[in-house]
Amino acid sequence: MLQTLSKNAYSDGYIVTDSTEEDASALEKAFEVTEKDKADGWIYVLSSLSENPAIAGVKDLYKIGFSTTPVEERIRNCENEPTYLMDKVKIVATWKTFNMNTHSFETLIHQFFKAVQFRIKVKDLAGNEAEPKEWFVVPLGIITKAIECIIDRSIVNYRYNAHLQVMEEVEQQERIQQGEFETTGWNIRTLNIKQVD
């Protein structure tokens, strides 16, 4: 797998090598958490393992959300919860967050991908109908880029073009009309990409 990753990265002009002690030390310093930092939880990206054709047949379908508990624990009962489409899910990526306004994050990510929100109605165990709001039809690379832009606070400079499946830069005047999000003080410290089969 490492050789495949290296080959694919090299074709885009990057190289994968073993890290040195200096690299590890620099990385630790860059992402060092102090006692002033307040752990909030985890941003996560999930994919559905549903066999329902209305769900399984949708390419690039991901749930983007936030949890104050570890994601593995949060999804433990997923097949009984409408927010997970009443089925099993797979963790695709997680980011541990510190000092983040979690409500603003969810509002921001949902507004950013509003045009590609997946609309489906599911029934819970009691037969009540629900329409989950955190599922989006968008390539994983775009989701990762959007979260990176939240981390470096540049997200306010972009919008998602669903037609072209790209993030486009937005002119300052247009940003003012859309309204900007306050991201001061946010820190998203660690990234653990899960293996996607």
Side-chain angles (χ1 to χ4, degrees):
M1 289 176 67
L2 181 59
Q3 288 176 339
T4 302
L5 174 64
S6 298
K7 182 181 175 188
N8 290 337
Y10 183 73
S11 69
D12 288 334
Y14 297 95
I15 188 166
V16 177
T17 63
D18 290 326
S19 60
T20 64
E21 283 185 37
E22 292 84 20
D23 294 335
S25 175
L27 194 60
E28 276 180 30
K29 285 180 185 169
F31 291 99
E32 190 174 305
V33 177
T34 69
E35 60 263 1
K36 292 179 183 177
D37 293 308
K38 179 183 174 248
D40 304 300
W42 292 264
I43 296 170
Y44 60 81
V45 179
L46 307 175
S47 61
S48 176
L49 298 177
S50 175
E51 293 181 7
N52 177 341
I55 297 169
V58 180
K59 185 181 177 207
D60 294 328
L61 177 63
Y62 297 101
K63 181 182 192 315
I64 309 168
F66 180 85
S67 177
T68 56
T69 59
V71 182
E72 292 82 0
E73 186 179 319
R74 178 69 182 93
I75 65 171
R76 193 169 287 148
N77 194 38
C78 57
E79 63 272 18
N80 298 317
E81 296 182 40
T83 191
Y84 300 107
L85 307 177
M86 300 297 292
D87 219 318
K88 294 279 187 192
V89 294
K90 177 171 63 175
I91 299 171
V92 177
T94 60
W95 291 262
K96 188 168 185 182
T97 66
F98 294 81
N99 313 318
M100 191 179 77
N101 181 325
T102 57
H103 177 71
S104 290
F105 163 76
E106 289 196 321
T107 301
L108 173 62
I109 205 79
H110 294 175
Q111 183 175 332
F112 193 76
F113 290 125
K114 185 177 182 180
V116 289
Q117 184 180 39
F118 182 61
R119 300 200 181 274
I120 192 169
K121 292 185 179 174
V122 295
K123 289 190 177 178
D124 64 17
L125 296 175
N128 300 315
E129 211 170 60
E131 191 173 352
K133 305 278 188 212
E134 295 184 338
W135 289 88
F136 303 91
V137 181
V138 59
L140 181 59
I142 297 290
I143 295 171
T144 303
K145 176 66 177 166
I147 292 173
E148 287 171 3
C149 287
I150 289 172
I151 293 168
D152 69 17
R153 299 186 183 95
S154 67
I155 192 73
V156 295
N157 300 322
Y158 295 93
R159 70 172 162 225
Y160 180 58
N161 182 324
H163 250 19
L164 300 176
Q165 292 188 325
V166 296
M167 288 174 56
E168 299 176 324
E169 279 200 64
V170 178
E171 297 294 323
Q172 183 174 5
Q173 185 60 35
E174 195 174 340
R175 281 201 314 270
I176 292 166
Q177 290 170 353
Q178 289 177 348
E180 295 189 10
F181 284 90
E182 178 56 49
T183 58
T184 305
W186 288 15
N187 289 311
I188 301 175
R189 299 285 188 169
T190 58
L191 167 63
N192 303 311
I193 298 288
K194 302 286 181 176
Q195 180 178 345
V196 178
D197 297 328

